[in-house]
Amino acid sequence: MERQTINSEGGLNLSCLVADQTDGQGPLLVFCHGFPGLGFSWRHQLSYFARRGYLAVALDMRGYGESDAPAAIADYSLDHIRADLLAVLAHFGKARAVFAGHDFGAPVVWNMALHEPERVAGIVVLSVPYDHDYYGRGGLDTASQLPSALFAEVAQTHFLHAHYFQRPGVAEGELDEQSSTFLRRLFWALSAQGELLSAFAASDDRQGYINVLPKVEKLLPWSWLSRAEFAVYAEVFSRTGFRGPLSWYRVADINWRLNARYLSQSVTVPACFVAGAQDPVIAMSGEGCWDFMRRRVPDLRKVELVPQAGHWVQQEQPGAVNSIVEDFLRSLSLDG
């Protein structure tokens, strides 16, 4: 694997990990992580698919890792992130790619499929069903409440991280000082062994996010994360802080307005959905998410819940995820 820099709109530099055994001739497979991730979060997929003839690329999304972190919150909108994905295509000289997204990367690839379907050979979505994101409408085309208002309403009675993250400087003041503790607790809470939902039982956010997260029950290494792998995350976030990543939450209202153009529109490209069977995001999505996704994504070729995996499914069960994705890729008409 090598690290490359891609120039996006306005001179923004994006860093990515590239695994390629085809001299750039293989079909392009682009991986987009979520919060709090890195291109490194796709390490098991990069090497696997490079060995199978793909040009595999995992971005440090804007605001993360070695990529630039714009100061303006509005610069993290879906329109700007989509420009980053188009810059990836241009950098590698490809007309189309398969885009894979996890967590916040999921709405990124859903959006790319809606807005640029001719540039998308297929999408692989992990953990976040269609229209279940922090700036979505939960399948309601007529919903009129801004995400920030909904967050504030919920936060009147329960801790809600999305509301806590809205106020610039507050969450950074907590998380930047205790980045390793936060990462350990969040990684554990969202895994198959964790219990994230207990954090939302707290009555308010005055004690911050770290203190409401459940304590880690097992010291590293875990079955899916070694001490050395955790150290990669710890080093990066201790150096960069969380301002850029938190901007992905703070742009919620802007994205909600941007998404209005897609009301009633279907995702027409081939799609594959994968999640951990113990992912709390799936539990929070509700049963209705499946019917809505199947209605709005008519070429949804796979829906797989992976046993013994939580939110970090591609790291917790990489063998199962790679096999599912490889099956899906075989169903596509791909060119180099």
Side-chain angles (χ1 to χ4, degrees):
M1 273 188 291
E2 65 170 336
R3 187 169 287 278
Q4 294 187 21
T5 300
I6 296 169
N7 186 256
S8 188
E9 61 172 11
L12 182 136
N13 290 315
L14 292 171
S15 183
C16 63
L17 294 173
V18 180
D20 180 27
Q21 297 181 14
T22 71
D23 293 325
Q25 301 308 303
L28 180 59
L29 182 53
V30 181
F31 295 100
C32 305
H33 67 78
F35 178 91
L38 297 166
F40 179 74
S41 303
W42 299 100
R43 59 196 176 279
H44 303 296
Q45 287 68 47
L46 285 169
S47 56
Y48 182 90
F49 288 103
R51 290 195 302 270
R52 283 154 179 80
Y54 295 90
L55 169 53
V57 177
L59 291 167
D60 282 355
M61 305 301 285
R62 68 165 62 198
Y64 284 88
E66 306 306 315
S67 292
D68 289 347
I73 290 171
D75 286 348
Y76 293 83
S77 77
L78 281 171
D79 281 358
H80 291 292
I81 307 301
R82 192 173 63 252
D84 292 345
L85 299 191
L86 292 171
V88 174
L89 290 172
H91 178 84
F92 290 101
K94 302 291 188 179
R96 299 191 308 160
V98 175
F99 293 92
H102 171 252
D103 188 79
F104 266 116
V108 167
V109 301
W110 288 125
N111 179 267
M112 186 70 176
L114 285 166
H115 199 276
E116 303 282 349
E118 72 284 354
R119 311 302 304 274
V120 180
I123 56 173
V124 177
V125 180
L126 278 62
S127 300
V128 182
Y130 183 58
D131 205 23
H132 184 80
D133 54 45
Y134 285 114
Y135 34 82
R137 292 166 171 81
L140 299 174
D141 291 345
T142 58
S144 59
Q145 191 174 26
L146 286 170
S148 61
L150 177 62
F151 299 159
E153 186 177 290
V154 173
Q156 289 178 11
T157 54
H158 300 287
F159 176 84
L160 183 65
H161 65 301
H163 175 69
Y164 178 62
F165 288 167
Q166 291 299 309
R167 294 166 285 180
V170 175
E172 293 96 314
E174 177 195 13
L175 304 185
D176 288 0
E177 291 296 316
Q178 305 176 74
S179 57
S180 290
T181 300
F182 172 64
L183 291 170
R184 259 194 312 272
R185 288 198 183 183
L186 190 65
F187 286 170
W188 176 263
L190 279 163
S191 73
Q193 290 74 42
E195 183 46 65
L196 175 74
L197 299 183
S198 65
F200 303 142
S203 60
D204 59 49
D205 58 19
R206 284 175 293 183
Q207 56 190 314
Y209 196 15
I210 293 174
N211 287 333
V212 303
L213 284 169
K215 298 285 196 304
V216 176
E217 296 177 12
K218 185 178 184 298
L219 296 177
L220 288 161
W222 304 332
S223 62
W224 60 276
L225 190 68
S226 70
R227 289 191 181 94
E229 288 169 330
F230 178 78
V232 173
Y233 292 101
E235 187 281 324
V236 169
F237 283 97
S238 68
R239 174 166 45 83
T240 66
F242 286 88
R243 179 188 59 79
L246 291 169
S247 295
W248 286 66
Y249 287 90
R250 293 168 183 161
V251 78
D253 287 353
I254 293 173
N255 279 329
W256 189 89
R257 294 185 176 99
L258 289 173
N259 278 351
R261 77 187 88 167
Y262 306 117
L263 293 182
S264 302
Q265 183 173 329
S266 292
V267 173
T268 58
V269 306
C272 168
F273 182 83
V274 185
Q278 287 78 44
D279 189 341
V281 173
I282 298 302
M284 291 186 290
S285 299
E287 287 299 318
C289 75
W290 307 113
D291 288 340
F292 180 77
M293 183 164 61
R294 287 189 173 95
R295 286 200 310 273
R296 290 295 176 83
V297 189
D299 199 2
L300 182 60
R301 301 185 181 185
K302 278 184 172 291
V303 175
E304 301 278 355
L305 293 181
V306 178
Q308 298 180 317
H311 189 60
W312 318 110
V313 58
Q314 80 272 34
Q315 299 178 71
E316 293 178 73
Q317 295 294 341
V321 170
N322 291 349
S323 178
I324 292 165
V325 174
E326 187 174 13
D327 253 6
F328 171 70
L329 293 175
R330 287 198 193 105
S331 77
L332 305 177
S333 299
L334 299 177
D335 42 65

